[in-house]
Structure formats: structure tokens, C-alpha cells
Amino acid sequence: MGNKYTKRYAEEFKRDAIALVDSSGKTVTAVARELGISSESLRGWYRKAKTDRGEGVSGELTSAEREELKRLRKENREQQQTIKILKKATVRSMGRCNIPGRTVTGGVAGWRGSGVRGCRTSRSVKCGGDGGTGSR
């Protein structure tokens, strides 16, 4: 199991370590050993730097693309929540049943005089007072 506390390195240190791997011709593991850091950490930084320079594996996202994707996913999630809320509000304000094909005309005022006692998503309670035939 890993250490509970993760050691953080400054961006300048990371850049210098990556430059040392590029310029020295040594392996990532050898440079990591010299610097006294984990070879996996340095390998991750090096891989990320190569991708950001456009030298990485085909199909791998750059840091900027990763940030944009994260932002777009968050925006999408927020929009889906907004749509869900608006759908619920529309159902309530338009006087529509949650059962497809069933509506009560006249909005909220139409509910009062329509004889509809309760319109629920449950199949056991029918919308309207017609016994579920759909006719008025």
C-alpha cells in the first residue's frame, strides 16, 4: 500500500527533471534515482510532457484537451440537471399528466374543474375520471 501523504513537487522542478532526461541520454529510472524521486512519478511527468509537445502516443489527450474535456463534462452535467428541473416545472405549470398522451386543458385552473383527483406516475392511479379509456 502507498504512503498516505503524497509528496508535491514544484512545476519548475518537474520541468528541470524532464529536461535532464531529454538532455542526458540516461533512462528515466537512472535520472529519478539521481534526483531521489520515484521513477514512476518522473515517468508520468515525462509522458505528459511528451504528449503536450505532440510527441506522445496517438489519441492521447494533451493537458489543454484534458482540461477542456473536464470543463465540457461539468457543463453537460449542469445542463442535464437544468433540463430535468425544467421538465418537472413544465409538467406542473402546464397541467400535464406524467402519463403519456394524457393532458388536462386549462393549466392549473383546469385541474380544479376537471374532476382529476391525482395525476401520478404510478400506473395504479389513472389520470382523469374516465377510468383510463382516454375519452371525456
Side-chain angles (χ1 to χ4, degrees), residues 6 14 21 23 35 38 50-51 62 64 70 75 85-86 88 100-101 116 125 128 133:
T6 304
K14 292 177 184 180
V21 171
S23 64
L35 296 174
S38 163
K50 280 180 67 174
T51 301
T62 64
K70 182 178 175 182
E75 186 178 313
I85 290 168
L86 289 174
K88 287 180 182 179
V116 176
V125 177
T133 60

Side-chain angles (χ1 to χ4, degrees), residues 22 27 41 43 51 78 94 107 123 126:
D22 283 334
T27 65
S41 293
R43 187 171 287 110
T51 301
E78 289 170 355
M94 296 294 293
R123 298 287 180 219
K126 300 292 184 191

Side-chain angles (χ1 to χ4, degrees), residues 15 36 60:
R15 279 193 305 270
E60 197 170 358

Side-chain angles (χ1 to χ4, degrees), residues 40-53:
E40 289 304 312
S41 293
L42 182 56
R43 187 171 287 110
W45 303 340
Y46 186 70
R47 189 178 305 126
K48 185 176 175 185
K50 280 180 67 174
T51 301
D52 289 345
R53 290 189 305 235

Side-chain angles (χ1 to χ4, degrees), residues 33-105:
R33 220 178 283 129
E34 286 177 11
L35 296 174
I37 60 174
S38 163
S39 61
E40 289 304 312
S41 293
L42 182 56
R43 187 171 287 110
W45 303 340
Y46 186 70
R47 189 178 305 126
K48 185 176 175 185
K50 280 180 67 174
T51 301
D52 289 345
R53 290 189 305 235
E55 301 169 5
V57 178
S58 177
E60 197 170 358
L61 299 176
T62 64
S63 296
E65 291 170 333
R66 215 175 282 113
E67 286 298 317
E68 182 182 13
L69 182 60
K70 182 178 175 182
R71 181 185 60 79
L72 290 172
R73 284 182 175 161
K74 180 181 178 186
E75 186 178 313
N76 188 20
R77 208 173 25 256
E78 289 170 355
Q79 287 177 350
Q80 286 175 346
Q81 289 175 346
T82 301
I83 289 169
K84 186 177 179 181
I85 290 168
L86 289 174
K87 281 183 180 180
K88 287 180 182 179
T90 301
V91 165
R92 289 186 182 127
S93 68
M94 296 294 293
R96 300 184 88 195
C97 261
N98 290 338
I99 301 171
R102 296 303 199 73
T103 61
V104 175
T105 57

